[in-house]
Amino acid sequence: MGFRETLLLATAVVTGLALTPGTAAAVERDMATNLVVPWDIDFLPDSTALVTERGSARVLSVSGGTTREVAQIPGVSAQGEGGLLGIAVSPSYATDRYVFVYYTSTSDNRIARFRLGETPVPIVTGIPRGTSIHNGGALSFGPDGLLYAGTGDAGNTANAQNPASLGGKVLRMTTTGAPAPGNPSGSLVYSLGHRNVQGLAWDGGGRMFAAELGQSRLDELNRIQAGGNYGWPTCEGACNDPRFVDPALTWSNATASPSGLAFHRGNLYMAALRGQRLWKIPVASNGTVGQPQALFQGVYGRVRAAASSPDGTLWFSTSNRDGRATARPGDDRVVSTTG
C-alpha cells in the first residue's frame, strides 16, 4: 500500500489548486489497487469500505490494507455502462445487516438487498435498461432513513418525462422497495426530467443534490426538490422555463462528465470522468453553492466514485480500465485523502 504526500507550499499549484502559506500537508493513500472498474463505495459501521466492480459483479471489502471479495451478485449483465453499479449500507446495519445494490440485468435495472453471505433479493425491478448507455446507478440513504436511487433514461429521452416510467428519475423508497410515504405522486418517483443520475448526496442541512450527465453541452449539479422536473430532454443546463428546475451549477462535458457525489466537511465533492478530476464545491449554510475548485486534475485519470469515510477522510476511485482511458500501473485504485 503506497502513500503519496503532497507538501502544500506558498506558491505551489498542487492538484489543480493554488494554495496559500500555512496550509497543512495533504496525504493521499492508496487503499486498494489493481481493481477492474470499481463503481461505488460505501462504509460499514466499523469503517470497512464496500466497493462494487461494474463488470465482475463483485462486492469487495477494503480494510486494514486488505481487499477481498465478500459477495458476487448473480444476474448482473455488464454491457456498456451497465453492470454492478451503486451500493448503499443500511443506516440500521448494526441490527438489520442489510446492504443494497443497484445493477443491470438482461432485462432491466434493479435494486436488491442482501446480508453478506446471503443471496440478494430484488426489491425494485423494471427500471429501464439501456443497451449500452444511461443506466443511472446512484444509490444512497438519505438523512430521513429512506433509500434513494438515481436512474437514467436508458437512451430513450421520452422516459425522463413519463411519470409512469422509472427511467430518468430520482426514486425514493423504503427498505422493502415500496414507495416512500409522502412521495409526490404516490409512486417511487421523487423527481423527474433527468438524463442520467450517477451521484446523490445531502448537505449538513439535509438538502439533496444530484450529479447528472449532460448530452453534448453541459453537465449538471442539481438541488433535488420533491416533485421537481429537471427538464430533460427539453433542457440541457438552465432553460429558464417555470415548468422546470434549473441546475445549481453546470460544467462543460470536457471538464466534468460527473459520476459519484459526496458531502464532506462542508463541501460537495463531484467525481469527473472525462474531466479527470474531483470537483470541490463549497456549500453555504442556506444550501447555496459556491465556486467549484478542481482537485487532482490529470493526476489519477478518470474519477468515478466519491465517499465520505467515517474515519474523517475522503475516498475516491478511478475508472481507467473501462475502455475510455489508458490504465496506469496499479489501476484501477481506491484512494483516500486528508486534503
Side-chain angles (χ1 to χ4, degrees):
M1 183 175 295
F3 285 82
R4 177 193 179 99
E5 296 190 359
T6 308
L7 297 179
L8 309 186
L9 303 178
T11 58
V13 177
V14 181
T15 62
L17 286 178
L19 300 163
T20 56
T23 306
V27 179
E28 298 150 43
R29 181 182 184 186
D30 284 342
M31 306 305 291
T33 57
N34 298 306
L35 307 183
V36 183
V37 195
W39 207 93
D40 199 11
I41 305 166
D42 203 3
F43 296 91
L44 297 175
D46 67 359
S47 297
T48 295
L50 296 182
V51 179
T52 55
E53 280 189 329
R54 188 176 71 189
S56 70
R58 297 193 303 166
V59 177
L60 308 173
S61 74
V62 179
S63 179
T66 300
T67 301
R68 64 186 182 92
E69 179 182 316
V70 292
Q72 178 99 28
I73 308 302
V76 173
S77 176
Q79 297 181 357
E81 295 175 358
L84 179 58
L85 305 175
I87 189 165
V89 174
S90 168
S92 302
Y93 184 86
T95 55
D96 66 27
R97 315 294 288 180
Y98 279 127
V99 176
F100 297 76
V101 287
Y102 182 119
Y103 66 93
T104 312
S105 77
T106 56
S107 59
D108 60 4
N109 286 290
R110 49 186 57 190
I111 298 165
R113 74 175 186 180
F114 67 104
R115 296 183 177 98
L116 297 179
E118 298 181 359
T119 301
V121 176
I123 60 170
V124 174
T125 60
I127 301 168
R129 172 188 184 274
T131 303
S132 61
I133 59 173
H134 300 184
N135 287 293
L139 195 64
S140 296
F141 277 94
D144 55 9
L146 294 166
L147 183 61
Y148 292 75
T151 72
D153 67 8
N156 178 359
T157 59
N159 283 332
Q161 292 295 326
N162 179 0
S165 171
L166 298 181
K169 307 293 191 297
V170 171
L171 309 179
R172 178 175 177 256
M173 69 201 74
T174 69
T175 55
T176 63
N183 277 6
S185 64
S187 72
L188 288 170
V189 175
Y190 190 69
S191 65
L192 71 161
H194 299 287
R195 184 172 182 266
N196 195 20
V197 176
Q198 293 191 352
L200 299 172
W202 288 259
D203 71 4
R207 290 168 286 255
M208 184 181 182
F209 293 86
E212 182 165 347
L213 290 136
Q215 183 176 38
S216 58
R217 293 191 312 109
L218 295 173
D219 298 317
E220 301 176 358
L221 175 73
N222 285 300
R223 182 169 158 182
I224 302 300
Q225 305 169 10
N229 188 328
Y230 290 80
W232 177 254
T234 303
C235 306
E236 182 181 0
C239 67
N240 301 309
D241 185 320
R243 295 174 298 169
F244 306 125
V245 182
D246 285 340
L249 288 170
T250 60
W251 292 260
S252 71
N253 304 144
T255 59
S257 298
S259 189
L261 188 68
F263 183 74
H264 181 73
R265 294 184 175 179
N267 300 282
L268 287 165
Y269 289 83
M270 188 180 79
L273 293 163
R274 186 176 169 191
Q276 298 194 13
R277 67 198 77 181
L278 190 67
W279 284 104
K280 179 181 179 180
I281 307 157
V283 183
S285 59
N286 64 358
T288 59
V289 294
Q291 181 67 35
Q293 298 174 305
L295 305 177
F296 311 121
Q297 185 173 341
V299 174
Y300 289 100
R302 290 164 59 85
V303 182
R304 168 70 69 179
S308 182
S309 170
D311 69 6
T313 61
L314 180 74
W315 290 38
F316 61 91
S317 67
T318 68
S319 193
N320 294 321
R321 297 179 68 181
D322 61 1
R324 297 181 178 181
T326 300
R328 306 158 189 229
D331 278 342
D332 278 318
R333 66 187 69 239
V334 174
V335 180
S336 75
T337 178
T338 60

